[in-house]
Amino acid sequence: MAQATNFAENKSLEKLNSEPRCMAELVGEVKHELIFLLVVNISVSVTAFLGNTLILVALQKESSLHPPSKLLYRNLAITDLCVGMIAEPVYVAYIMSVLSDKWDICFYANLLSFFTGFPFSAVSLLTLAVISVDRLLALLLGLRYRQVVTLKRTLMTLIVGWILSIVGTLTYLWDPIVTSWCIKIFLILRHNQIQVLDHFPQRQENQPIPFNIARYRKAVSVALWVQMTLVFSYLPFLITEALIPQRGMTLSFYLAREFTSTLVHLNSSLNPSLYCWKIREVRQAVKDTIRELLCSSPN
């Protein structure tokens, strides 16, 4: 039993180590590009940390959002904050190890980058899938929505999502198809959400729209913008990852992979801007928080 476990672990490490992200003959020719990515990722790490910290403070103050919906956006902000605090610094360490030719450190930084980046990405995908379901239920259930979608049920769903993401990270070492399942579920739910919106009765001209429907439509708009931003950030990386096994890790694909990885991390910095742009209450709470910080700072 122990031999089988050791074999599986060695196979997993060999799988990650076989990726030529730490091979001098490949990455030695693109150090100028890596320096650029280093600066970008440091900037993304700082903005993701500051932006999502402000969003969490703003969501704490904001009281008009339905509590389960607020919890979902709070979970997404926590995930993005973890990217800025954990995943990004590890990725920066990987780039620095390559630039300084520390190949032993590079291997462990690459390994740690996977174990820190994959779970947060999976949680983001699952959270957005839950947000899609939440918006669908808001439109389909009407007045029964608040009875069905409770804070306790939403919390339990998110806990299960974190557990599945951690398990999925470990499972990916043996079978990467788990990732494609999560992405497929997310895309199906998003497609269903758009279909419901297309068939939802449009209000007639000069006809007042009920307040609750207008509020739910606004929430759906926020969710769709966040989802489109995620697709924009993740799709190039997924395409690159799909092509590398077929074409091989050439210099061009190595650069494409590192640039698209940076784009995935950038998503964590973009979401706070979307919240401020699309949710007026959050935008005002962020302004109040910044004003309080400036007023309390020493002259």
Side-chain angles (χ1 to χ4, degrees), residues 48-68:
F49 172 76
L50 295 177
N52 287 286
T53 300
L54 282 174
I55 291 299
L56 287 173
V57 173
L59 289 174
Q60 182 67 28
K61 297 179 178 180
E62 206 281 322
S63 58
S64 64
L65 283 174
H66 186 40

Side-chain angles (χ1 to χ4, degrees), residues 125 128-133 136 179-196 224 227 230-231:
L125 288 171
L128 286 173
V130 175
I131 290 176
S132 297
V133 174
L136 284 172
T179 309
S180 63
W181 285 348
C182 294
I183 297 171
K184 186 175 181 180
I185 291 172
F186 163 71
L187 293 176
I188 291 174
L189 289 171
R190 183 175 181 273
H191 176 70
N192 291 339
Q193 181 185 23
I194 294 175
Q195 283 187 325
V196 170
L224 285 176
Q227 291 168 358
L230 184 138
V231 171

Side-chain angles (χ1 to χ4, degrees), residues 71-124:
L71 179 61
L72 291 173
Y73 286 114
R74 185 177 294 170
N75 185 72
L76 196 58
I78 291 174
T79 304
D80 292 334
L81 180 63
C82 290
V83 171
M85 291 179 60
I86 302 174
E88 271 284 21
V90 171
Y91 185 69
V92 167
Y94 157 73
I95 297 178
M96 293 180 66
S97 67
V98 173
L99 292 173
S100 58
D101 297 329
K102 304 292 186 181
W103 303 115
D104 291 338
I105 298 177
C106 178
F107 166 69
Y108 289 106
N110 181 37
L111 184 66
L112 189 58
S113 178
F114 170 81
F115 280 108
T116 55
F118 188 95
F120 299 137
S121 299
V123 170
S124 294

Side-chain angles (χ1 to χ4, degrees), residues 18-31 34 94 98 103 248-255 257-258:
S18 63
E19 297 179 358
R21 300 180 72 191
C22 297
M23 295 176 60
E25 58 270 22
L26 179 64
V27 302
E29 303 178 16
V30 292
K31 289 199 172 183
L34 290 178
Y94 157 73
V98 173
W103 303 115
M249 181 64 86
T250 63
L251 183 61
S252 299
F253 274 115
Y254 172 77
L255 278 178
R257 186 179 189 181
E258 302 310 318

Side-chain angles (χ1 to χ4, degrees), residues 1-15:
M1 183 68 179
Q3 291 180 349
T5 303
N6 293 334
F7 174 77
E9 291 177 352
N10 293 334
K11 182 179 179 182
S12 302
L13 293 176
E14 181 182 353
K15 178 180 177 181

Side-chain angles (χ1 to χ4, degrees), residues 237-292:
F237 176 78
L238 295 175
I239 293 175
T240 302
E241 285 290 284
L243 290 176
I244 287 176
Q246 302 176 12
R247 308 290 180 84
M249 181 64 86
T250 63
L251 183 61
S252 299
F253 274 115
Y254 172 77
L255 278 178
R257 186 179 189 181
E258 302 310 318
F259 272 92
T260 54
S261 296
T262 300
L263 188 60
V264 169
H265 293 147
L266 180 62
N267 180 72
S268 298
S269 295
L270 295 178
N271 283 338
S273 302
L274 286 176
Y275 301 147
C276 292
W277 175 37
K278 300 298 293 183
I279 307 178
R280 180 178 58 83
E281 296 83 1
V282 172
R283 180 170 65 249
Q284 186 59 46
V286 168
K287 290 180 180 179
D288 294 340
T289 302
I290 295 176
R291 191 178 298 113
E292 292 174 4

